[in-house]
Amino acid sequence: MSAAALPPIREIRPKVLFQLIESMAPDVNPSFSVNIPSSAIGGATLLENAVLVSLAKLTGARAFFEFGTYLGATTLLLASNSPADAHVTTVDLPPADIDMAQPAPDEADLVLRDDTANDNFLRREFAHKGGLCIERASADIQAKVTRLLQDTRTIDPAAQGLAGRFDFIFIDGGHDFDTIASDTAIALQLAQPDAVIAWHDYRSTIHQDVTRFLDGYAAPARLVYVQNTMIAFMLTGRFANLLPD
Ligand SMILES: C[S@@+](CC[C@H](N)C(=O)[O-])C[C@H]1O[C@@H](n2cnc3c(N)ncnc32)[C@H](O)[C@@H]1O
């Protein structure tokens, strides 16, 4: 299907999700647990955290898969705000495979402007710091997390026993077009029939390939963008009609 024939990505305000959360349990204060946002480049914002947790709670997600662990902030968020029997599998590159070459001093500011320089910076940061938010978490939270070290583009869901197992998938690894396309195709294999698949960096001014990919993607369910965030998502199977029209 050509991009011109695709339905436009639906835009919603974050409060569409928050209203659904309120209607799920009208007698309680809806709350979630979150770290003070990291000052590091590359993390999700507080509003994005609230959106991700709302999507997880609205769908009762229990089996999470994250492309791109980085410091583990979103891994920790999902593990901390899900039922005790939920589990988060998160994948990042084997540190030994990461190119540690630093940009030339006169190119250092490229990290905040250029897609490739930014992705290379995030990879080096991961190699230096690993998933430190997970390592600092309590033992019960750590027990809810499985960490894989693998290039996401090489994941073979069937061979690795991961096919059809996950009901919440967060795509936030490499941001170049080919990696986003590959991670998305693999996410569809990882997903249960009823699932949330979410992408980070939609409409990012740095990672414009995410926007280019999703704007031209013939998704199996309607794509939704949450305003004032960089999160786009789709709800499949029985969740397809969860949002009001
Ligand atoms: C934006 S950060 C992830 C942020 C994290 N999801 C969070 O919300 O805190 C992107 C991560 O993807 C990893 N990454 C980049 N390309 C990858 C690839 N091909 N396979 C696996 N991980 C990759 C980087 O090493 C980096 O840690």
Side-chain angles (χ1 to χ4, degrees):
M1 198 186 303
S2 73
L6 295 172
I9 294 184
R10 178 178 175 187
E11 288 194 26
I12 60 167
R13 296 165 77 181
K15 77 174 191 179
V16 170
L17 297 173
F18 304 156
Q19 281 165 341
L20 289 172
I21 289 282
E22 286 164 1
S23 62
M24 261 174 85
D27 300 327
V28 300
N29 293 321
S31 65
F32 70 109
S33 134
V34 64
N35 279 4
I36 298 285
S38 164
S39 61
I41 293 174
T45 66
L46 270 179
L47 180 60
E48 290 172 338
N49 285 336
V51 164
L52 291 174
V53 172
S54 296
L55 285 169
K57 287 188 183 297
L58 288 170
T59 56
R62 281 186 151 69
F64 298 83
F65 192 96
E66 179 185 31
F67 290 76
T69 311
Y70 192 44
L71 308 182
T74 298
T75 321
L76 174 63
L77 177 84
L78 298 173
S80 303
N81 293 286
S82 52
D85 63 352
H87 200 83
V88 186
T89 301
T90 183
V91 60
D92 211 295
L93 288 164
D97 293 356
I98 293 174
D99 180 355
M100 298 303 282
Q102 297 287 333
D106 61 338
E107 291 180 347
D109 69 320
L110 269 185
V111 163
L112 292 173
R113 292 189 278 117
D114 179 81
D115 175 50
T116 305
N118 186 284
D119 261 359
N120 288 339
F121 171 84
L122 297 173
R123 293 183 184 114
R124 289 196 303 275
E125 283 293 283
F126 175 71
H128 281 307
K129 298 179 181 160
L132 60 83
C133 297
I134 305 165
E135 283 142 28
R136 292 169 177 169
S138 62
D140 58 325
I141 294 296
Q142 290 195 26
K144 293 173 77 175
V145 175
T146 297
R147 298 182 57 182
L148 304 178
L149 293 175
Q150 180 177 357
D151 188 320
T152 58
R153 296 166 299 184
T154 70
I155 293 172
D156 182 337
Q160 294 180 230
L162 300 171
R165 278 188 33 198
F166 298 92
D167 55 10
F168 190 110
I169 299 175
F170 184 45
I171 301 177
D172 191 21
H175 298 94
D176 61 279
F177 191 95
D178 290 349
T179 300
I180 291 291
S182 170
D183 289 355
T184 300
I186 289 170
L188 293 181
Q189 297 173 55
L190 296 169
Q192 297 178 18
D194 307 321
V196 183
I197 298 181
W199 293 261
H200 196 234
D201 291 292
Y202 182 68
R203 300 203 184 172
S204 160
T205 54
I206 302 175
H207 298 298
Q208 296 182 18
D209 276 8
V210 180
T211 309
R212 196 160 65 85
F213 172 74
L214 287 177
D215 284 347
Y217 177 48
R222 185 84 190 263
L223 291 172
V224 180
Y225 164 63
V226 185
Q227 292 171 347
N228 299 313
T229 77
M230 293 192 290
I231 293 178
F233 68 88
M234 68 180 170
L235 299 166
T236 65
R238 70 188 169 90
F239 301 132
N241 296 319
L242 195 128
L243 298 183
D245 290 334

